[in-house]
Amino acid sequence: MPWSSRGVTPGRMWVYAPDEDTLHERWRRFVAADTDRRTEMLGPSGERTPGDTVPPLPGVGSHGRIPLAAEHRTNTRTVRIGFRSFDRQYVLPDSRLMERGRADLWRVRSDRQIYTVEQNAHPVANGPALVFSALIPDMHYFNNRSGCARPLHRNAAGTLPNVTPGLLPLLAGRLGIPVVAEDLLAYIAAIASHPQYTARFQEDLEVPGARIPLTAAPCLWERAVAIGRRVLWLHTYGERYADETAGRPYGRVLLPRDRPRCVTEIPDDVEAMPEKLAYDPATQDLRVGSGRISPVPRTVREYEVSGMNVLDKWFGYRRRNPAGTSSVAVPVRGA
């Protein structure tokens, strides 16, 4: 998958939030401020100023080249984005607010696109070597330490695979079966999206970037592709690789009957919103402030993506005083 890109690099965390209402409120506070305050809200980097004119992001921009200093509209658009592994949030998709909006990723965005995200700047320590998102990812999506995104397709229509030329026909010839880009990605997901891949190839992964061993056995290929389709359906919350006949309904990730359930309600009003997570491995209770979820298996509580605990990171952006926000922020209203 030769074309890769860093994910969205906003330069300021307040353009993200788990809910849309919070972002609309932050935007209203921004446009209500004078130019000096807007400069302060954009931060000290100097990469963006209220006087900048930049092209809008493809498919979502409506501001033209109006600088932020002249912006007075109180309504704005929000778009769902891949924030961290398994964490979907919302973003203000405004290139004027971002250091690097990554226009090329937005240009190929569609309901056919899927992004493979890898840690190519640091060795992968544990957990999956690759994660996947139906949404454009933030640059720190993988494990909060940079990384890159590899779109499956080079265009929004999904007709130009981002695959080394000649690889798909080569695989088809060796395996004796048709091979399309979606099958190759499913195979990759089956091989590299679990901790045993990382453990087995730990020495190789000291040089960042996943390398994928390819089988020439048709039965192994087809088995891996079947597993990978389910993995990709799960990673994308049912928005890709859906197939009702295979038990993968669109947009509904079905969990086992003994799945974790909210036993005691988690408050979401500002005063009672939780600040801490607590876990009891004996009872498998996960306490979210005064709320309780059970049963949560220990493997779920401890699940990590290269040192980043997924639950801790997810909760950190949804607690009463969320991580990474600034003086322009208002408390988020829920998960």
Side-chain angles (χ1 to χ4, degrees):
M1 303 181 73
W3 172 39
S4 68
S5 171
R6 293 288 187 207
V8 172
T9 309
R12 51 205 53 87
M13 294 300 296
W14 60 263
V15 300
Y16 291 130
D19 69 301
E20 295 178 281
D21 289 344
T22 295
L23 286 181
H24 288 298
E25 177 62 23
R26 290 176 183 172
W27 174 255
R28 285 191 290 268
R29 290 191 182 190
F30 184 84
V31 297
D34 59 26
T35 300
D36 289 342
R37 177 60 177 145
R38 292 185 188 191
T39 301
E40 182 183 344
M41 291 175 178
L42 290 175
S45 69
E47 290 274 349
R48 281 285 176 265
T49 70
D52 291 341
T53 55
V54 292
L57 296 173
V60 293
S62 59
H63 57 76
R65 296 177 182 272
I66 301 172
L68 285 171
E71 182 63 85
H72 298 291
R73 291 175 298 175
T74 56
N75 294 327
T76 188
R77 183 176 180 180
T78 59
V79 172
R80 209 158 202 178
I81 198 165
F83 182 66
R84 298 291 182 267
S85 289
F86 309 106
D87 184 354
R88 301 179 298 172
Q89 296 200 24
Y90 291 92
V91 68
L92 294 170
D94 192 325
S95 54
R96 301 170 298 176
L97 297 173
M98 298 176 177
E99 306 295 345
R100 301 287 185 276
R102 312 297 178 188
D104 285 346
L105 293 181
W106 293 88
R107 191 169 290 113
V108 301
R109 172 176 171 259
S110 74
D111 59 5
R112 296 177 58 88
Q113 190 64 268
I114 183 170
Y115 303 89
T116 299
V117 188
E118 72 170 332
Q119 175 52 271
N120 68 339
H122 307 278
V124 177
N126 62 343
L130 295 172
V131 291
F132 305 88
S133 174
L135 306 171
I136 294 176
D138 178 84
M139 71 170 294
H140 296 301
Y141 182 87
F142 187 83
N143 68 334
N144 207 37
R145 296 186 68 201
S146 190
C148 77
R150 299 183 185 275
L152 176 59
H153 302 291
R154 290 177 173 269
N155 62 344
T159 58
L160 299 174
N162 180 27
V163 177
T164 300
L167 178 57
L168 295 177
L170 173 65
L171 287 171
R174 291 291 298 273
L175 294 165
I177 55 176
V179 176
V180 296
E182 288 78 7
D183 293 340
L184 176 61
L185 187 65
Y187 176 88
I188 291 170
I191 297 298
S193 66
H194 59 91
Q196 285 306 307
Y197 170 92
T198 304
R200 179 169 182 174
F201 298 107
Q202 190 72 67
E203 185 175 336
D204 300 275
L205 292 171
E206 287 295 317
V207 178
R211 274 79 72 191
I212 307 299
L214 294 168
T215 183
C219 60
L220 290 179
W221 173 269
E222 291 178 344
R223 183 182 176 192
V225 168
I227 294 170
R229 286 171 180 159
R230 182 168 179 81
V231 169
L232 293 166
W233 174 73
L234 289 166
H235 277 230
T236 61
Y237 288 81
E239 293 181 359
R240 301 291 184 270
Y241 288 80
D243 184 347
E244 290 278 356
T245 62
R248 303 192 304 268
Y250 179 82
R252 289 191 304 117
V253 176
L254 304 178
L255 298 175
R257 291 183 178 180
D258 60 349
R259 67 181 178 86
R261 297 180 184 277
C262 187
V263 179
T264 306
E265 184 178 3
I266 302 168
D268 64 357
D269 57 283
V270 174
E271 293 304 319
M273 281 184 72
E275 268 293 337
K276 294 182 180 180
L277 284 181
Y279 180 68
D280 185 338
T283 62
Q284 296 190 331
D285 287 345
L286 178 68
R287 296 194 174 274
V288 188
S290 61
R292 180 166 65 96
I293 299 172
S294 189
V296 177
R298 187 168 187 165
T299 52
V300 172
R301 177 66 186 96
E302 296 177 353
Y303 188 81
E304 292 186 351
V305 177
S306 195
M308 184 189 77
N309 183 279
V310 170
L311 276 179
D312 286 340
K313 184 61 65 174
W314 187 93
F315 176 71
Y317 294 108
R318 291 163 173 82
R319 66 194 186 200
R320 181 178 177 183
N321 294 302
T325 54
S326 69
S327 57
V328 75
V330 294
V332 296
R333 293 185 171 87

